Amino acid sequence: MLMETVQTANLQVAPAQVSTPRGFFDALQTQLERPLIFDLGAGKRVPVGYHITEIKAVNLQTVDCGGVVNAWKETVVQLWRSNLEPDPHYMTAGKFLKIVRAVVGNIALEQGSNLRFEYGDDGQPAVTYSVSLLEPTSEGLIVHLEWIGVRCKALDRVSAARAEAGLSELTVLEGGGESCSPGGACGC
């Protein structure tokens, strides 16, 4: 029956559809009994027995290296697995949503904000991820997470504008010219 559900549900959901709390939570609604398995890439997963330590509603205001003010909202779900509290099971989608409902009763989560997950454990510092795919398998719902690295927003803006104009992307190079470097084309 479980395999039949996986095949007929056709739930594989792309990043744009699960990159917000609303999209992610909606996708879980029809899969309440399924285990949530968080895949960190490169063959690593958040181990069984993880729990949600915190859900954050975050308002960010920044000034990037190009001098541009940026503002956005994020919802951050912090996952943790203690080596001292073994639990042989993955959390189900239903339990995950029950925790979310309890949080929403106390703080306002912006349903259209960027959804992020943080994961760390007793031997690893917390790292922030975005959801790249939600995939049903016979094991459960695999939440594929993608590490969010540090980006130069000024370079991203210039590269996007150049791509729209049919020009090549800028690259991070030493020595100026058509590059992103202090005093270079991206405004850094």
Side-chain angles (χ1 to χ4, degrees):
M1 180 64 174
L2 180 61
M3 185 57 101
E4 188 177 293
T5 303
V6 170
Q7 291 172 351
T8 59
N10 195 19
L11 176 73
Q12 188 163 324
V13 184
Q17 297 167 306
V18 292
S19 62
T20 65
R22 178 180 297 113
F24 188 79
F25 302 157
D26 286 351
L28 298 185
Q29 287 293 339
T30 61
Q31 307 289 318
L32 298 176
E33 299 303 317
R34 308 283 307 279
L36 279 180
I37 303 167
F38 291 91
D39 183 278
L40 304 171
K44 285 189 70 179
R45 288 184 169 175
V46 173
V48 296
Y50 68 83
H51 65 270
I52 297 172
T53 60
E54 191 169 72
I55 298 179
K56 307 172 195 178
V58 183
N59 292 306
L60 295 141
Q61 295 181 319
T62 70
V63 177
D64 65 36
C65 61
V68 175
V69 175
N70 302 281
W72 70 95
K73 295 180 179 187
E74 292 183 353
T75 297
V76 181
V77 178
Q78 190 176 75
L79 306 173
W80 180 68
R81 166 117 180 357
S82 170
N83 293 328
L84 302 175
E85 299 178 28
D87 180 347
H89 305 287
Y90 286 112
M91 181 181 298
T92 65
K95 182 174 180 181
F96 181 94
L97 290 174
K98 183 178 177 182
I99 294 167
V100 167
R101 282 191 288 278
V103 168
V104 169
N106 292 293
I107 64 171
L109 295 181
E110 178 64 46
Q111 294 298 309
S113 65
N114 296 319
L115 178 63
R116 304 287 188 239
F117 285 88
E118 286 181 348
Y119 170 68
D121 58 31
D122 290 343
Q124 167 184 322
V127 176
T128 304
Y129 299 88
S130 62
V131 179
S132 63
L133 182 69
L134 181 61
E135 175 187 29
T137 69
S138 58
E139 292 180 87
L141 294 176
I142 309 294
V143 182
H144 294 273
L145 299 177
E146 186 173 273
W147 171 68
I148 300 173
V150 175
R151 298 284 305 158
C152 173
K153 288 179 182 61
L155 175 61
D156 289 346
R157 277 192 305 279
V158 172
S159 293
R162 290 177 64 90
E164 281 181 30
L167 302 171
S168 64
E169 258 189 52
L170 287 177
T171 56
V172 179
L173 299 172
E174 295 296 322
E178 284 288 299
S179 67
C180 182
S181 61
C186 69
C188 300

